[in-house]
Amino acid sequence: MKLIKLDAIDSTNEFLKALSNKQELENFTVVTAENQTKGKGQMGAVWTSEVGKNLIMSVFVKDVLSGINQIYNLNIAVALSVIQALELFNIPGLSIKWPNDIMSYNSKIGGVLIENNIKSDGKVNSIVGLGLNVNQINFDHLPKASSLAVICKRNFDKEALLFGIVAKMEENCILFSQNPNTLWDEYTRRLFKKGIPMPFQDTNDNKFMGIIQGVSPIGKLRLLLEDDSVSEYEIKEIQMLY
C-alpha cells in the first residue's frame, strides 16, 4: 500500500483521480489530507470536516470489478470494511445506512463516495473516498452527526484506523472474487433499521411507511410497503425519517 499524505487539498478524490490519469498507480494507493476544502458526498452533497480532527482519505482500486454490472459490489466491500475495522476498535452500535453511510446507533459517523472509471476493455478503476468523524466533538449544525470521540469518550489514532480500514478493504475485495454472496448477506444483515417499520419521504414530500428488505444487485433499496408490495428506489428518490 502506497500512502500519500497531504496537509490540505480541495478533494482527495479529485487529487487521486488526476494522479491516476497521469501515471500507473499501485492498487490500493491511498491519499489522506488534514484539511479538505471541497469534500463531496453522494449526489453532489458537500462534506465538511474540522481541520486535523477526522480521517479524510481516498483509495485507488483496480482489478476488482470486471464490468459495470458489478459496480455495487465495491460499495458493499468498502462499507463492510469500515464497519469491520471499527469493530476492532470497539466502536458500538455499528450499521450501514443505505447506500453507504456509516452509523453508530442513530448517528452518522462517516460516509463513502465511490467514483468509477470504466475502461474501453470493460475493466473498472475506482476512487473510493471515505470521510470518518474521528476526534471532532462539535456538531452544532449537524444534529444527526457524531464521531468516534463523542461516542467512546476518548481520542483515536487516525493512522491506525486508516491502516485497519485499508487492510479490510483488501481482504474483502479478494473475498468478493471468491464468494460474493457472503459479503452481500453480511451487508444486508447490517443495514440500518432493516426489518423495522420506518417512515420515509419521497421527492414530492409524500410520507409513507416501509420496511427495508435489502438492496437489489444494482444498488436500489427494496422496501416492503403497507399494501404488501415490494418497491425499489434509487439514491435520493426517498429519504428515511428517523
Side-chain angles (χ1 to χ4, degrees):
M1 183 191 88
K2 181 179 180 182
L3 176 59
I4 302 169
K5 295 182 178 181
L6 305 172
D7 287 329
I9 194 69
D10 54 353
S11 162
T12 55
N13 264 31
E14 290 300 320
F15 177 89
L16 191 52
K17 190 188 305 180
L19 192 64
S20 70
N21 289 333
K22 293 177 184 175
Q23 63 187 74
E24 188 71 23
L25 291 181
E26 178 184 326
N27 208 3
F28 298 101
T29 294
V30 181
V31 174
T32 66
E34 293 299 303
N35 184 28
Q36 182 173 244
T37 58
K38 295 181 181 178
K40 295 188 292 184
Q42 288 287 352
M43 304 295 287
V46 177
W47 190 87
T48 57
S49 172
E50 195 172 311
V51 177
K53 297 289 188 179
N54 302 320
L55 181 57
I56 302 167
M57 60 185 282
S58 295
V59 187
F60 177 75
V61 178
K62 64 180 178 179
D63 302 327
V64 172
L65 305 177
S66 59
I68 191 170
N69 61 320
Q70 295 185 358
I71 278 178
Y72 202 75
N73 287 359
L74 187 57
N75 287 59
I76 288 173
V78 171
L80 282 177
S81 297
V82 178
I83 293 282
Q84 291 164 349
L86 292 180
E87 285 181 335
L88 299 176
F89 291 84
N90 298 314
I91 310 303
L94 293 166
S95 63
I96 303 162
K97 182 174 174 287
W98 174 83
N100 44 25
D101 282 347
I102 308 303
M103 308 292 289
S104 176
Y105 300 116
N106 284 329
S107 296
K108 178 179 175 177
I109 57 172
V112 176
L113 176 67
I114 300 177
E115 299 179 88
N116 299 293
N117 181 18
I118 302 168
K119 302 293 186 180
S120 57
D121 60 2
K123 290 185 177 180
V124 183
N125 290 346
S126 303
I127 307 292
V128 176
L130 169 66
L132 183 67
N133 297 330
V134 181
N135 295 322
Q136 182 172 332
I137 58 173
N138 182 0
F139 296 96
D140 288 346
H141 303 294
L142 298 166
K144 292 183 178 179
S146 190
S147 69
L148 307 189
V150 170
I151 291 161
C152 297
K153 297 179 173 53
R154 64 184 179 91
N155 280 354
F156 288 81
D157 182 333
K158 294 186 297 177
E159 192 161 287
L161 289 164
L162 182 154
F163 281 106
I165 290 167
V166 176
K168 285 293 183 183
M169 281 180 58
E170 293 189 50
E171 287 178 21
N172 283 336
C173 286
I174 293 171
L175 184 56
F176 243 126
S177 66
Q178 298 170 345
N179 188 3
N181 290 338
T182 299
L183 291 180
W184 267 95
D185 291 345
E186 186 173 356
Y187 175 85
T188 302
R189 181 174 62 82
R190 290 177 177 271
L191 283 172
F192 181 66
K193 302 297 185 183
K194 179 181 179 291
I196 300 171
M198 292 294 297
F200 291 85
Q201 181 173 299
D202 65 19
T203 52
N204 295 317
D205 294 331
N206 297 314
K207 294 180 175 63
F208 61 96
M209 296 297 294
I211 301 175
I212 293 175
Q213 304 292 289
V215 176
S216 78
I218 59 171
K220 292 185 177 183
L221 186 67
R222 286 177 169 158
L223 288 184
L224 176 64
L225 304 178
E226 290 179 280
D227 63 0
D228 288 332
S229 66
V230 175
S231 290
E232 297 184 351
Y233 298 89
E234 297 268 13
I235 298 170
K236 298 295 184 181
E237 281 187 342
I238 58 168
Q239 177 185 1
M240 182 190 296
L241 306 175
Y242 67 99

